[in-house]
Amino acid sequence: MKNLIGNSAMTRILCFIVFALIGHLSSMTHAADIYVSPTGSDDNPGTSAKPVSSLAAAQQLARSAAGNEPVIVHVANGVYYLRETLVFEPEDSGTMTNPVVYQAINEGGAVLSGGSRLSLDWKPYQEGIYQAKTSPGLNIDQLIINGQNQRMARYPNFDPSQKTAAYQGFAADAISKERAANWDDPSGGFIHAMHSKRWGGYHYRITGKNRDGEVTYEGGWQNNRQMGMHKEFRMVENIFEELDAPGEWFHNAETSTLYYMPESDTDLSTAIVEVVRLRHLVEFQGTEAKPVRHITLKGFVVRHAARTFMDTKEPMLRSDWTIYRGGAYLLTGTEHIRILDTEFDQVGGNAVFINQYNLKTQIKGCHIHDCGASGVCFIGDPQAVRNPLFEYRESNDLTKIDRTPGPKTNNYPKQGSVEDCLIHGIGLVERQPAGVTIDMASEITVRDCSVYDCARAGINIGDGAWGGHLIERCDVFDTVLETHDHGSFNSWGRDRFWHSNRGISQTEIDKAPDLPFLDAVKTTTIRDSRWRCDQGWDIDLDDGSSNYDIYNNLMLNGGLKFREGFRRHAWNNIAINNTFHPHVWYADSDDEVYSNIFMGTYRGVRTPTKSAFGKRVDSNLIFGGKLSQVFGWDEHSIVADPQFVDPQKGDFRVKDGSPAFTIGFKNFPMDQFGVKKSSLRAIARTPVIPSLKVEASDSRRESVSNMTWQGASLSDLSGEQFSAYGVSQEEGGVAIVRVEAGSNAAKAGLKKGDLIQAVDGRSIQNIREFRRVTRRSAGTQALKIIRNQQEVELKLPR
């Protein structure tokens, strides 16, 4: 009996322990489920039967469990108008084993809106325009009718057929005194104008008219190369008197009256009318010391974020950009944040902005389209940069700079990624955007993305700090649509070593060859991607871009450009109907270009020279054109037909027995470019495949005029030389290609590489105009010179 009792007690104890363990394990694996529905109430407990109605209420419920167990917030279909920005702080964080997930129950079914829905009583006004009273104090940045963004009243009117025209409609008289005479009070209107060189754009707020009837305005800080607005490419909006086309609107905040001219098929009695209120819909607010961690936002549609173009002010070091640090989603001080399967639809500024310290941010499976500014921005803190400079003309004393490699702090994005995304319609408001832009960041990956319809670059890297980026299997095309002198991929590298006077940099680099790699400390790789730019270069490594590996890329139109940098290695690429563009190289640049297929003779600008010819430009196949056998170039290159497999269908692999194999070329896949997610791939566009245009071996350039004047050899500009000098084709000029020692030109200070743009105040575009102007001038001649992309005034006796 004693043994039976003992065994029975032992059995009960063991059962208690087992059940306790099961309960403990169950609590470890169980997720806290919180439910949100538009039909719920924030007084509810957030269960599936009694959901809350807002994400803010769900967030408060999630905080009690965050980090202790997995949390899943299930968001039902519907539109969620956010009263204020949803802010995640460190106390909202999950962990690696206990993450926090906010997800739409059905992908694309839950819409997060930064706007409000209006209920309006529309009445006819005049000439097809309707009017409705709005609530006092309402400011309207954007008007959405039945889900589509409408246009502020503008001049000239919007023409969707002019895809590559500035603002899809421009006029030189947009702000003329004569035009403004028709405006009662233009204050609150906006001027949008291209940069004078078409390097992006400017924006201004109209403040009124002066006593002479001229328009007054403020702004113009949106471009980091301050050269003024273009004389012709201008547009004004938010002017009541210009409301004259279907789809245009104007809101008079003083009288609380909204005016709108609907399209013919719009029934205003049933139309859904929404306006935008918030700039940022979601923010993550942490720090490096106390980050927001392990939160996922999945499956939402994000709409109705305000335009921010008048606050795009902060210069991105010495790149051509300024930036607004914000977006529909803004991340600061985070680790392991994931944004998955999200659609960003018609947001007014940037879609996603990853600001300063952020580690391992993942953006995957997203559809980002019709953005006012950029798609995804990875932007660090300038104070993490050693010896930062903020404008093209600023310079360091290179003998005194900090020679420590890399950043000063960790306050920058690192190891983030944009994967399997469809990004298009970028820069609908601003004209210096990109599908993905990277500046002061490290080891960012852009993979399996389709990027197209961009006002400027598809993918942009603003400086060398701090490299290590990977761009692979992307499809990037229809870029630089309204601008000029840029690429589908564009980069700058105006880092510590770079000086606008190349000779100053060269002197110090000769002493310390590691100088170009103090900021570009890790190699950036561009591979296995397809590029097409019809208004610039397919891949454009501009001023100073250094430490790049570029291979297995198919370039369909604009070719490959290297300007002023170090250690750019390009191999096994194909350039269709174009070639290699070496622009203005340093001596001992360590550049290598080999085993590529180019269609045409290289198009160099002041490269190669006897002192600047890189490490190796050789073993390439030139299809059409001729070899460039100078300074050791092309000693083992060949001129031949590469024998493409099926170029009409975009298969530019080469056939068995192709001569391309003899120069080391290897085939790479032609069916792996762009987005892979099935729902996105089904709607993604692909680039137009060009017909082959084989360059004749004896004619690779347009003819140019030459002359000798005052001991200087002069030449017209052609092709990409305009870019090399930093001038537009409309401006032009006459290039000085040689100056004889002791000549009048030399005594006056003229140098090889100068560009003459004016004589005695008269602009000249070419040698024909130069001859005409100089013949008429008498006495001392005043010359306007462009030297190192800066204006210089010189005087030369006749």
Side-chain angles (χ1 to χ4, degrees):
M1 178 69 94
K2 183 177 180 181
N3 288 338
L4 287 175
I5 294 173
N7 289 340
S8 177
M10 183 62 69
T11 299
R12 288 195 296 271
I13 291 170
L14 288 172
C15 288
F16 175 80
I17 292 172
V18 169
F19 284 120
L21 286 171
I22 291 173
H24 178 65
L25 290 172
S26 176
S27 68
M28 289 178 62
T29 58
H30 177 72
D33 292 294
I34 300 167
Y35 292 84
V36 186
S37 171
T39 61
S41 168
D42 284 352
D43 294 328
N44 285 341
T47 63
S48 59
K50 294 184 176 181
V52 294
S53 63
S54 71
L55 272 72
Q59 179 189 24
Q60 295 304 312
L61 294 173
R63 273 184 178 174
S64 62
N68 298 315
E69 58 182 316
V71 177
I72 302 177
V73 178
H74 307 267
V75 185
N77 290 3
V79 179
Y80 297 84
Y81 293 104
L82 303 181
R83 296 177 184 175
E84 56 187 10
T85 301
L86 184 65
V87 178
F88 292 101
E89 297 178 323
E91 52 264 41
D92 296 300
S93 295
T95 66
M96 184 71 75
T97 55
N98 294 316
V100 175
V101 179
Y102 289 72
Q103 65 181 27
I105 293 174
N106 299 299
E107 181 178 332
V111 178
L112 306 185
S113 169
S116 301
R117 184 170 176 175
L118 302 184
S119 178
L120 300 177
D121 181 19
W122 292 101
K123 296 179 179 179
Y125 174 62
Q126 63 182 32
E127 298 180 354
I129 300 171
Y130 286 76
Q131 63 180 348
K133 285 295 182 179
T134 58
S135 301
L138 178 67
N139 291 311
I140 303 179
D141 172 69
Q142 295 171 80
L143 177 69
I144 294 90
I145 304 290
N146 293 331
Q148 294 300 311
N149 209 332
Q150 306 300 295
R151 290 175 293 279
M152 284 182 168
R154 55 170 279 176
Y155 171 76
N157 291 332
F158 180 85
D159 183 352
S161 68
Q162 297 187 49
K163 187 175 180 180
T164 61
Y167 307 107
Q168 287 68 60
F170 61 87
D173 69 340
I175 57 172
S176 68
K177 181 177 178 179
E178 293 74 19
R179 190 80 196 180
N182 300 316
W183 306 338
D184 179 40
D185 179 10
S187 60
F190 298 106
I191 304 167
H192 304 279
M194 302 302 289
H195 186 281
S196 63
K197 303 291 192 292
R198 296 175 64 193
W199 295 338
Y202 297 109
H203 310 275
Y204 306 83
R205 180 184 291 108
I206 296 175
T207 57
K209 292 190 287 187
N210 62 21
R211 291 180 179 178
D212 295 328
E214 298 168 330
V215 175
T216 58
Y217 49 86
E218 61 183 5
W221 42 66
Q222 295 83 1
N223 196 293
N224 206 24
R225 297 288 295 274
Q226 287 292 317
M227 296 181 179
M229 69 173 82
H230 199 281
K231 294 179 180 178
E232 295 183 23
F233 300 151
R234 302 174 175 186
M235 179 268 284
V236 292
E237 67 172 2
N238 205 32
I239 305 292
F240 178 62
E241 288 80 3
E242 301 296 350
L243 204 172
D244 59 0
E248 290 188 349
W249 62 274
F250 177 83
H251 182 239
N252 188 326
E254 292 185 2
T255 64
S256 299
T257 307
L258 176 62
Y259 299 89
Y260 175 59
M261 181 182 286
E263 301 282 355
S264 58
D265 59 352
T266 300
D267 182 354
L268 287 181
S269 66
T270 61
I272 297 174
V273 181
E274 297 166 303
V275 295
V276 174
R277 294 181 300 105
L278 301 179
R279 291 184 169 202
H280 308 159
L281 277 69
V282 176
E283 290 185 10
F284 294 82
Q285 295 181 358
T287 64
E288 180 187 358
K290 198 172 182 181
V292 184
R293 292 185 170 122
H294 295 288
I295 298 177
T296 296
L297 303 182
K298 182 179 181 181
F300 296 103
V301 175
V302 178
R303 290 184 181 143
H304 309 155
R307 303 186 300 175
T308 52
F309 60 89
M310 285 306 296
D311 289 309
T312 300
K313 297 181 179 181
E314 180 187 342
M316 290 291 89
L317 298 181
R318 286 191 289 177
S319 78
D320 288 1
W321 291 45
T322 61
I323 203 81
Y324 168 72
R325 286 187 182 267
Y329 280 13
L330 172 61
L331 286 69
T332 303
T334 75
E335 296 177 358
H336 301 282
I337 301 301
R338 301 194 304 163
I339 301 169
L340 308 179
D341 303 324
T342 299
E343 180 183 0
F344 292 87
D345 173 22
Q346 302 176 93
V347 297
N350 304 310
V352 182
F353 199 101
I354 297 144
N355 177 51
Q356 300 180 349
Y357 177 78
N358 288 274
L359 179 65
K360 296 187 176 179
T361 307
Q362 184 185 43
I363 300 168
K364 186 174 182 180
C366 294
H367 185 194
I368 302 171
H369 63 96
D370 300 303
C371 298
S374 291
V376 182
C377 306
F378 293 90
I379 309 294
D381 177 8
Q383 296 310 308
V385 180
R386 300 180 191 275
N387 306 113
L389 297 172
F390 297 95
E391 204 276 333
Y392 180 89
R393 294 176 180 82
E394 291 186 2
S395 61
N396 285 311
D397 183 340
L398 296 183
T399 66
K400 298 178 180 179
I401 61 170
D402 184 345
R403 298 293 178 104
T404 306
K408 288 194 298 185
T409 73
N410 295 321
N411 202 23
Y412 57 89
K414 184 176 181 180
Q415 298 176 4
S417 65
V418 182
E419 304 175 60
D420 208 7
C421 290
L422 173 57
I423 305 173
H424 60 98
I426 299 301
L428 299 189
V429 178
E430 303 181 34
R431 294 303 188 267
Q432 192 72 293
V436 180
T437 186
I438 302 166
D439 212 306
M440 298 170 287
S442 178
E443 301 166 87
I444 304 301
T445 295
V446 185
R447 174 185 293 128
D448 295 326
C449 291
S450 294
V451 185
Y452 53 86
D453 285 352
C454 302
R456 205 84 171 111
I459 300 174
N460 185 80
I461 298 178
D463 52 60
W466 289 274
H469 313 305
L470 172 62
I471 299 167
E472 64 178 355
R473 298 195 302 270
C474 290
D475 201 11
V476 187
F477 58 97
D478 284 2
T479 60
V480 197
L481 292 180
E482 301 172 49
T483 55
H484 173 69
D485 192 10
H486 213 53
S488 285
F489 172 84
N490 181 82
S491 64
W492 291 287
R494 298 166 187 154
D495 303 333
R496 268 178 279 179
F497 80 92
W498 189 85
H499 197 289
S500 60
N501 183 336
R502 197 169 63 262
I504 293 175
S505 293
Q506 187 74 68
T507 298
E508 293 304 313
I509 293 167
D510 289 344
K511 301 174 188 176
D514 63 340
L515 200 59
F517 308 103
L518 295 181
D519 292 309
V521 292
K522 296 181 179 179
T523 301
T524 290
T525 299
I526 305 173
R527 67 187 183 196
D528 299 306
S529 296
R530 181 168 62 186
W531 310 87
R532 176 165 183 166
C533 183
D534 289 17
Q535 287 79 36
W537 292 271
D538 293 337
I539 298 179
D540 182 0
L541 270 60
D542 209 354
D543 299 349
S545 299
S546 299
N547 206 358
Y548 278 79
D549 282 347
I550 301 173
Y551 61 92
N552 291 2
N553 292 281
L554 174 61
M555 295 170 277
L556 291 176
N557 190 77
L560 173 66
K561 171 188 158 189
F562 287 177
R563 178 186 172 106
E564 289 185 343
F566 288 83
R567 203 215 156 276
R568 286 82 56 90
H569 294 177
W571 72 94
N572 218 71
N573 303 287
I574 303 171
I576 301 302
N577 298 338
N578 214 305
T579 188
F580 176 50
H581 302 254
H583 286 196
V584 198
W585 283 12
Y586 291 99
D588 300 317
S589 64
D590 195 35
D591 290 320
E592 296 191 55
V593 180
Y594 60 93
S595 299
N596 301 285
I597 297 174
F598 294 122
M599 289 185 65
T601 310
Y602 310 143
R603 300 178 188 173
V605 177
R606 288 180 274 167
T607 302
T609 68
K610 62 182 179 181
S611 61
F613 47 84
K615 183 176 182 180
R616 173 168 55 147
V617 179
D618 200 2
S619 298
N620 295 305
L621 184 150
I622 309 299
F623 184 18
K626 59 184 179 180
L627 302 180
S628 301
Q629 293 180 318
V630 291
F631 306 115
W633 285 22
D634 280 348
E635 290 184 357
H636 305 93
S637 297
I638 59 175
V639 175
D641 182 342
Q643 301 174 20
F644 295 127
V645 170
D646 193 351
Q648 291 182 335
K649 294 183 178 179
D651 188 349
F652 292 96
R653 293 175 299 163
V654 299
K655 299 176 181 177
D656 292 342
S658 166
F661 294 125
T662 67
I663 52 100
F665 180 83
K666 298 179 181 179
N667 278 324
F668 56 92
M670 295 284 158
D671 58 356
Q672 296 298 308
F673 308 124
V675 66
K676 306 296 188 297
K677 183 179 176 182
S678 58
S679 60
L680 297 180
R681 194 170 183 85
I683 61 174
R685 285 177 43 217
T686 56
V688 173
I689 302 301
S691 300
L692 297 182
K693 299 176 183 178
V694 182
E695 179 183 291
S697 60
D698 60 348
S699 61
R700 71 181 181 92
R701 304 222 185 160
E702 59 197 89
S703 61
V704 297
S705 297
N706 300 278
M707 69 175 290
T708 300
W709 175 77
Q710 300 279 26
S713 297
L714 310 181
S715 175
D716 278 342
L717 296 183
S718 64
E720 56 272 9
Q721 288 179 327
F722 294 96
S723 169
Y725 283 98
V727 300
S728 66
Q729 293 189 21
E730 295 88 348
E731 293 171 318
V734 174
I736 299 178
V737 296
R738 186 171 63 85
V739 179
E740 293 182 8
S743 65
N744 286 345
K747 292 176 182 177
L750 290 172
K751 297 180 180 180
K752 177 182 176 181
D754 285 348
L755 183 75
I756 304 173
Q757 278 203 318
V759 178
D760 293 336
R762 298 185 182 124
S763 298
I764 55 168
Q765 289 185 308
N766 49 45
I767 281 180
R768 178 177 56 82
E769 293 182 2
F770 180 80
R771 283 195 177 105
R772 185 178 69 248
V773 171
T774 53
R775 283 171 183 163
R776 293 177 180 175
S777 61
T780 300
Q781 295 171 326
L783 307 180
K784 185 180 91 171
I785 304 296
I786 302 298
R787 178 179 294 167
N788 298 321
Q789 297 194 10
Q790 299 181 47
E791 290 187 10
V792 177
E793 298 286 342
L794 294 177
K795 292 186 177 180
L796 189 145
R798 180 171 174 78

